[in-house]
Amino acid sequence: MPGSRLVFFWRNPMTDTNHTQRDVNLLIGTGGSRAILFGTGVVLALSQANFGKFRSIGGVSGGSMPASLIATNPDASALLKEVLKTDFDKLVTRRVSLLQFLAQVIRDRKPIDPPERVGALDATLMGQYFDTNVPDWPKLFWTMALSHQRPVIMTRNGVLHAQDDGVMASLSKNVVSMSAAIRATCAVPFLLDPVPWIDDAGEEHLLIDGGYSPEGRCPMSVPEKLFALEDSCLVVVNVGEDRSHLHQMLDKVFDTQWKDENVVTANLPDPAPANYERIIVRPALPISGSFKFRLSQREKWQMILSGYMSAVEAFEKHGLLSGCALHRARERGLQALLLLAGRRKPYLKDVLPTQLDTVFDGLSFTSQQLECSPVSSSADSK
C-alpha cells in the first residue's frame, strides 16, 4: 500500500532464554577506583535484570568495595549514594609523595613477593571504613589475596588456597576480619602495606593484592571451583588495561603480565555444566587510572555510567535484560547521560543537575536473591 512500511523484526536467539530460574555469581575484578565505580554501574544494571538469586559475590582489590557493600545491603541505590559521597583519597594516608614512591620503586627493584612491610600509603583508615560499613562478613562474599605467589581465598567460612592440583584446601577455619581482608586484597606492593596473617598451621603470611595472581584481574576459577555451576551464569566485571603512566610503570617494574579473560582457562568439568555461561562486562572506552583517588562527582558519574551502559548491553545480549525491564534500564541510562552532558550556570563551576541524584532511586535486590548458597564439594574436600 502507498505510504506503508514493511518492518522486519530480528530476534537474537540468545535473548530467548528464560533466565528467571538461573542464578548469578558476580565477580568484580581488580582496578582501584576504576573497579569501584565501573563495578557500581554494573550492579545498578544487574539489579534490574531477570535472574534467580546470587550464589556468590566476589571482589578482588578495588572490586572488593562494591562487592562487599552490595553483599551486605541489597539496596543498589544506596550503594550508588555511598560510592558518590565517599572520598577515596581520604581512605589512605600518604607517607611519601607519589614521586618519591616511584623513585624508590625504580631505584630498588624487588620482587612482588615477599613484599616490603611498609608501603607509600597507610591503609588504616580504609580498615576503619570497612569496620563501620561492613562490620560482619557478608554471607555470599569472598575475596582473594596473594601469599608466597599463591592465591589465598577468604570467605565467611574460613580461608582457602588453591593447591597444585587445583583443589581448594583449607588454610584456616577462622574468619579473617573484613577490614583485614579488604586491606589485604588491595595491598599493591610498595604502594600499600601488606597484611600479616597466620594460618592454622602457624605459618606467617604477608598478604598482598589478589590481582597479582597468575590469573590476573579476574580470577574466574575461584567461583567456578567453589560454587555449583549448573543453571547459572558468572558475571565478570573486567575494567581492562590501565593506561595511566603510573600503572604502566609499575607493570614494567614488577614485570606484570596481565591476563585477559580470553586467555584465562578455568579447569571446568568435562562435559561443561548444563546451562552455564560467562558474561564479561568491560568498558567500551578506556577510563581513568586505577590510582586516581581524587575524583570529582562528574568523573565518578562518568565511570559509573560507563559500567552501567556496558552492563545493559551485555545483559541484553545474554538474555538477563529484556522486554519492559530492558526498556526501563535503557531509559534510566539515557536520562542520566543527558543530565550529565548538560551544564548549568555559572559555567565556570561544574555543577551537576540535582535530578541526576534520583535517576536510579528504588533499585534493589530482594532478600531472597541474597540468601546464602552452599559452596560446592570441591571446597570441602580437604
Side-chain angles (χ1 to χ4, degrees):
M1 293 178 61
S4 64
R5 292 185 302 168
L6 182 62
V7 181
F8 293 92
F9 291 93
W10 179 79
R11 177 170 289 181
N12 184 343
M14 295 187 71
T15 63
D16 289 341
T17 304
N18 184 356
H19 284 67
T20 304
Q21 300 304 318
R22 297 183 68 187
D23 293 343
V24 164
N25 290 291
L26 174 63
L27 167 57
I28 305 179
T30 185
S33 59
R34 299 187 306 148
I36 296 171
L37 297 163
F38 190 85
T40 296
V42 175
V43 170
L44 289 172
L46 189 59
S47 68
Q48 301 171 77
N50 182 28
F51 68 97
K53 66 178 182 179
F54 286 106
R55 293 188 184 176
S56 68
I57 300 176
V60 181
S61 194
S64 64
M65 180 176 181
S68 61
L69 289 174
I70 200 63
T72 300
N73 179 3
D75 190 337
S77 300
L79 169 64
L80 172 64
K81 290 178 172 58
E82 179 64 30
V83 167
L84 286 171
K85 79 174 185 180
T86 300
D87 186 344
F88 306 146
D89 195 49
K90 291 185 178 179
L91 296 183
V92 293
T93 305
R94 285 173 170 75
R95 294 191 177 104
V96 298
S97 69
L98 284 180
L99 287 177
Q100 290 174 299
F101 160 68
L102 285 174
Q104 177 186 346
V105 169
I106 295 171
R107 182 178 64 250
D108 303 324
R109 293 197 176 205
K110 297 179 181 179
I112 292 177
D113 207 352
E116 290 290 304
R117 286 183 175 265
V118 178
L121 304 177
D122 181 354
T124 301
L125 296 177
M126 182 191 298
Q128 294 174 1
Y129 173 90
F130 283 96
D131 279 336
T132 300
N133 290 277
V134 192
D136 300 313
W137 194 285
K139 293 179 180 179
L140 302 180
F141 179 69
W142 64 267
T143 189
M144 192 180 84
L146 200 66
S147 173
H148 306 307
Q149 299 181 7
R150 301 184 69 175
V152 174
I153 299 96
M154 293 165 279
T155 74
R156 190 185 186 214
N157 299 316
V159 183
L160 307 166
H161 75 116
Q163 301 188 123
D164 293 337
D165 58 4
V167 175
M168 296 290 184
S170 175
L171 276 177
S172 176
K173 298 295 184 182
N174 298 316
V175 181
V176 179
S177 71
M178 277 299 299
S179 60
I182 301 298
R183 285 189 294 113
T185 192
C186 294
V188 177
F190 288 97
L191 187 63
L192 288 162
D193 302 347
V195 176
W197 174 74
I198 299 177
D199 63 26
D200 285 356
E203 181 180 0
E204 182 180 10
H205 301 260
L206 287 176
L207 302 178
I208 62 172
D209 193 323
Y212 286 95
S213 75
E215 210 168 340
R217 296 185 188 93
C218 302
M220 292 182 285
S221 66
V222 175
E224 289 177 337
K225 289 176 181 177
L226 290 184
F227 301 92
L229 302 182
E230 291 80 7
D231 299 318
S232 73
C233 56
L234 173 62
V235 175
V236 182
V237 182
N238 184 352
V239 296
E241 181 183 3
D242 186 338
R243 299 182 182 179
S244 66
H245 295 306
L246 174 58
H247 208 285
Q248 295 285 336
M249 185 172 293
L250 287 177
D251 286 348
K252 289 181 180 178
V253 170
F254 293 143
D255 193 25
T256 305
Q257 301 296 322
W258 291 103
K259 292 188 176 182
D260 198 52
E261 75 282 349
N262 293 323
V263 296
V264 172
T265 304
N267 296 318
L268 294 175
D270 188 19
N275 205 19
Y276 170 74
E277 63 180 331
R278 294 170 176 169
I279 301 176
I280 311 297
V281 184
R282 65 165 81 195
L285 297 170
I287 50 180
S288 299
S290 302
F291 301 138
K292 185 176 181 180
F293 300 140
R294 294 179 181 175
L295 294 159
S296 68
Q297 290 296 291
R298 183 175 294 276
E299 289 173 318
K300 284 187 174 183
W301 269 111
Q302 287 170 342
M303 283 193 272
I304 289 168
L305 289 177
S306 175
Y308 180 82
M309 299 305 291
S310 298
V312 168
E313 180 181 352
F315 295 162
E316 178 193 6
K317 178 181 178 182
H318 291 271
L320 282 177
L321 267 173
S322 60
C324 293
L326 174 61
H327 175 76
R328 182 63 181 132
R330 284 176 169 167
E331 188 178 61
R332 284 191 174 103
L334 180 59
Q335 182 183 1
L337 287 170
L338 290 174
L339 288 169
L340 190 64
R343 291 268 180 173
R344 295 177 61 195
K345 296 181 180 180
Y347 296 111
L348 296 179
K349 292 185 178 180
D350 193 7
V351 180
L352 298 180
T354 56
Q355 301 96 310
L356 190 58
D357 296 333
T358 61
V359 171
F360 296 102
D361 280 358
L363 296 181
S364 180
F365 300 101
T366 66
S367 57
Q368 289 79 14
Q369 286 177 311
L370 285 172
E371 288 179 352
C372 191
S373 300
V375 295
S376 67
S377 58
S378 64
D380 303 321
S381 59
K382 292 193 177 183

